[in-house]
Structure formats: structure tokens, C-alpha cells
Amino acid sequence: FLSSAVAGAKRRRQGARHGHHALAARGKRSWHKEEDNAKSSRKHPGQTACTEKWFDQQLDHFSFANDTTWKQRYFVCADDWRRASAAVDAGPIFFYCGNEADVEGYVEHTGLMYENAAAFGALLIFAEHRYYGQSLPLGAETFNNMHFLTHEQALADYATLIQEIKPQLKAETSKVIAFGGSYGGMLAAWFRMKYPHIILGAIAASAPILAFPSADGGEEAAGGGEDYWAVVTRDASPEAGAAGECIPAFRAAWPRIESMGNTVDGRAQLSSLFNMCSPIGDPVDVEFLMLYIAMAVDTMAMGNFPYASDYLTGGAGDLPAWPVRVACDEFVGVDVADTPALLAAVREAAAVFYNATGTLKCHELPADKTYDGIWDYQWCTELLCQESYFRRDGVRDMFYPFSMSPAEVDTHCYWKYGVWPRRSWITQLYGGMKGVSEATNIVFSNGGLDPWSFGGVTPKTPLPPSASSSLGVVWIPEGAHHLDLFFSNPADPPSVIAARQTEMAFVRKWLDSSSRRGGESG
């Protein structure tokens, strides 16, 4: 989860991690500051204007000795809100749980909320996650004080924000539905589970909520993450509409890149073949080059949408419709025995992502060669998912073998941050499968083209018969990373159209049921 900020198309992030989430601030905004009266143009039909606001948030919700506050950013979109009157209660609040990126990207793309606001008379709120975007708790010193970055603090931020602003908006009776995708989807689900008196229900899209070690301290979860890369590989297969040459070509390329990387002359050839801005200096740079290529394919798999989109480029150019298919087309007619031709095709396949702007002159390995940003801290503490750590074996997937032992992870995390991961913490907090089975009023949606579905609640998840009927599981065969949260598009496959209808039917059912019960929660 998620998501994850690319500067341009190079995945350089202040804090955002994997492409979820590769969201940079947009130049063309559909919102305005509180002091502005004019509403600017909107990118999507049906997208209403939003107001940027700031909230005095508690720095540490779990200390009785620290009353420091900071400014948290959020957006309010009220054009369709049914305000309270003598005749009717106020409409519900649709609350977006901000991810590990600038919240403006979610304001711009989360069409499911906008497109249903009028029918529900809903007020929309988009909250920015602490440490991301402009919500920096300690200003210039924020990233020197990482210990206030936890998902628990973020959820407490959201709970406090809702409870404080409801009276200000005269929305005390408004029920709150949480929305989120990827990490935001996990937050939405956990928000409902942890704060059911505040959140009536949650739409948790592409949320790998089961991708954590067991509460007994076991290391493996969902195949140690290798299942993630198996889904990326499936996206590059004929089964998903890609050229049949793609997977064999990638598998043939890795050992040749490694072999060439062992010599000075070979690295010079790689620098030329991949049109590198700076020469590849040593075998370590070769490893980073391979990861650079793998992460491009990974991001295109997450963004394997049926229409052109700038969601995963941070607004820096559109990825084409079905970008994995476009990348795989580079291998059609290529003789894999011809190493220069093969590697040139690999370069062009990666460029479908990295050169989304069409202006890239050469390839450059990113300054953050691990692609983790400050999300790495969240991996190193609570083991929140990061695919660059996931195991690859080159058999079930089309990549080069990679694995990192728990001891190696511990060494990395202690060296970088002075911390060790609490591997079972998330499962202890939320119960893993048992916690999901006993939850209520949550819809989990996942897509067949989304690598993060490996850790999500899907139709294959063995929920017990005792699971609540208010718990929804939605499968979108042609869906990539939380496609269902986006604005409607003529190219949407029937499965995502149906998914959105199902999700909002659950929301309607939760609201109606709460009204019949007297509205005691959410």
C-alpha cells in the first residue's frame, strides 16, 4: 500500500513509496485556499471544488507529557453536502484516509467519492497523512525525528480531526464512511476496526491487510512477498493480454546484465545500451540498474489501467492504456540471442514508464536507489509492506532471484534508523485473518491485475461462515491498483463498474441500518 513520490517519471520521493502512490503536487488544481473566493477549473467531469484547510493536530496522541501541536492539512468539498435542517439530518461524511504521499493526488483522482456525493448528500474530506505532502509535524526537523511516524498516530490524527471539526461544521449527526486505497485502504479498514464509534463503515480498496507475519512471530506472509512478483509477471503474460515474447525475454535479460556487469568493458556496454546519464561504475550499480528496470515493470503493473493515466507518474506525463502490454510489445520480433537487441528492448520497455513525458534524454539511477523514501521507516518499524524487500525466485516470476533474511533486514533497519521491526505487531493489533473475520461494515476490493492483491481479502480468502453479512469482498478481474476508486471512464471494464455499484450499495445499507438503529455509531 501502497502508495509512494516520483519526481517526474523517476520515482524520486520525499516520502512516498511504490508507484501507489507516486503522487507529486499538481500544477493544475481543483481546489482553493480558504481565503480564495474563486474556484479554479477541474480536471474531471463531476469533480467539485474543494477548500484547503489546516488543523491544529496533536503531535503525540499517546503521551500525557507532550502537548505539542502541528498543522495538519486537509481538504473539504461541500458542494453536494446536505446540511442539517429542521426537516433532515446532515448528510454523511465521506472521509479519505490519506496515504504515504501528498494528499492532493487523492483529491484529484478519487472519483468514487465525488460521483456519489450528490446521491448521498455527502460532505467529502481528504486528510493528509503526517510526514507526507505538506503535513510535516516538526517542519524542517521532521525527518530528523521519525519516531512520531506510525500508522497508529495517523489514525489518531484522523479520529481527532473528525471529532473536532464535526461540531464546527454542524455535522454532529453525520455518519462517517472511510475510503482509502492501498495503504490508505488498510488505514480505512483499521479505522473502522479500531474506532467503530467514529467510523460507520469503510471502503478498503487494494488493501494488503493480510500481508503480515503471523502473531506468533512467524516470518512468512503470503509467500514471503514472492506472490507479489508472480502477479506482476502474470500482467506480462498472454493471459493478461501481453505479448508472449515478454516473459521469456525478461528472463533471458537478467543473467546477461549480471554477466556484463562483472567487467569494466561490460559495464561500459551496459551504460551505452541503457543510455545512462552517468556511467555504471561497479557491480553494485548493476544491481541497482536491475532494480530500476524491475520497479518500472512493477509500477506499470500497478497502473495497468484500461486508459491513459498520470496517477502513477505524479502528473508528469500519462502512462498509456494497458502500459504493461505496451512495454511487452517492445520484445515482439526481437531475437533474444542477440544481446544488444534484447537489452535495447528492455530499455525501451522500462522507458514506457520512465519516459512517460516523452522528454527523457537519458536514464539515471535515482538518488534513493532502494525506492523506499521515508516509507522505509514504516517498513523498519511496523513492517508495512514494501515490494523492494519481497522475495523473487525467477521461477514463479520473470525477475532475477532475490531474498533478504530477517537478520539482514534487522541490520539494515538498525544501521539506518536505530530500530528493529516488530514483525507481529500489526497482526497483534488487528488479529490478521481472525480480526477480518470478526469485522463489520468493511468492503475489501482487489483486482486481478494488481500485485497488491496477493495480500488482500479476496474471494479465495477463507472467511468463516460466521463472518458478518456487512463485510463485502469484491473481485475485479480486469482491475489494477484501486481502479475502483477512480473517476468513471468510458474504457472501464464491466467488472469495475459493477464493483463501484456494489461498494456504494454497501454504503447505503450501512447508513440505512444505522438510521434504523438510531445512529449509535459512526
Side-chain angles (χ1 to χ4, degrees), residues 25-335:
R26 275 30 177 207
K28 181 180 179 182
R29 299 184 179 183
S30 55
W31 44 84
H32 55 97
K33 304 279 186 179
E34 288 187 79
E35 65 272 16
D36 293 342
N37 294 318
K39 297 180 180 179
S40 60
S41 61
R42 295 185 281 278
K43 181 171 181 177
H44 299 278
Q47 181 176 3
T48 55
C50 300
T51 301
E52 181 185 58
K53 292 178 176 287
W54 299 86
F55 177 73
D56 288 328
Q57 186 60 265
Q58 193 77 22
L59 176 63
D60 188 351
H61 296 279
F62 308 108
S63 169
F64 296 101
N66 187 343
D67 61 357
T68 302
T69 61
W70 58 283
K71 296 288 187 181
Q72 181 181 18
R73 187 167 64 143
Y74 66 103
F75 288 86
V76 175
C77 320
D79 282 6
D80 294 312
W81 187 35
R82 185 183 68 244
R83 299 177 186 275
S85 69
V88 296
D89 288 337
I93 295 172
F94 290 174
F95 184 91
Y96 190 90
C97 300
N99 298 39
E100 71 286 18
D102 190 310
V103 73
E104 294 178 13
Y106 307 111
V107 175
E108 187 170 293
H109 285 88
T110 311
L112 184 67
M113 292 169 62
Y114 290 100
E115 292 179 346
N116 289 280
F120 285 83
L123 174 71
L124 311 186
I125 296 177
F126 294 83
E128 189 162 69
H129 194 296
R130 57 169 57 202
Y131 282 75
Y132 295 96
Q134 297 180 31
S135 293
L136 305 180
L138 296 168
E141 291 299 310
T142 295
F143 302 114
N144 295 322
N145 294 272
M146 299 296 292
H147 52 286
F148 296 112
L149 174 57
T150 68
H151 90 276
E152 297 99 322
Q153 295 279 11
L155 287 179
D157 287 343
Y158 299 159
T160 302
L161 173 65
I162 290 170
Q163 291 191 307
E164 291 291 330
I165 66 174
K166 275 179 120 181
Q168 297 173 20
L169 297 170
K170 296 182 173 54
E172 293 94 333
T173 61
S174 292
K175 305 305 174 187
V176 184
I177 306 296
F179 290 75
S182 198
Y183 173 45
M186 291 196 290
L187 290 173
W190 292 335
F191 205 2
R192 166 61 186 171
M193 295 165 77
K194 191 173 181 67
Y195 296 92
H197 60 293
I198 297 175
I199 299 300
L200 177 64
I203 303 298
S206 296
I209 199 168
L210 298 177
F212 294 92
S214 61
D216 62 7
E219 288 296 333
E220 297 298 326
E226 205 279 331
D227 291 340
Y228 178 97
W229 293 101
V231 180
V232 176
T233 300
R234 181 188 174 278
D235 277 27
S237 71
E239 182 184 1
E245 294 91 336
C246 195
I247 293 174
F250 270 112
R251 284 179 170 153
W254 305 118
R256 296 186 209 180
I257 294 173
E258 286 185 297
S259 177
M260 293 171 70
N262 289 327
T263 67
V264 173
D265 287 346
R267 292 193 292 272
Q269 292 176 29
L270 288 174
S271 298
S272 176
L273 285 168
F274 281 95
N275 191 25
M276 303 302 295
C277 300
S278 303
I280 297 172
D282 54 38
V284 174
D285 275 351
V286 175
E287 293 178 13
F288 288 133
L289 171 63
M290 294 166 68
L291 183 59
Y292 176 82
I293 297 163
M295 294 301 280
V297 182
D298 159 41
T299 306
M300 288 187 285
M302 283 188 284
N304 211 11
F305 305 136
Y307 48 80
S309 171
D310 68 355
Y311 180 68
L312 290 180
T313 67
D318 284 351
L319 287 180
W322 306 117
V324 177
R325 298 180 190 179
V326 174
C328 285
D329 283 346
E330 296 294 339
F331 299 105
V332 175
V334 173
D335 181 1

Side-chain angles (χ1 to χ4, degrees), residues 444-514:
F444 294 100
S445 64
N446 284 280
L449 301 178
D450 181 17
W452 290 105
S453 65
F454 90 97
V457 180
T458 74
K460 293 183 178 180
T461 302
L463 294 175
S466 59
S468 171
S469 61
S470 69
L471 200 66
V473 178
V474 175
W475 183 247
I476 310 167
E478 304 94 345
H481 205 43
H482 52 75
L483 175 63
D484 47 322
L485 292 186
F486 295 158
F487 284 90
S488 298
N489 187 286
D492 282 333
S495 62
V496 76
I497 296 171
R500 292 174 182 138
Q501 293 170 344
T502 298
E503 288 160 1
M504 299 316 297
F506 268 96
V507 172
R508 179 67 71 187
K509 181 172 72 172
W510 300 333
L511 290 168
D512 289 347
S513 177
S514 175

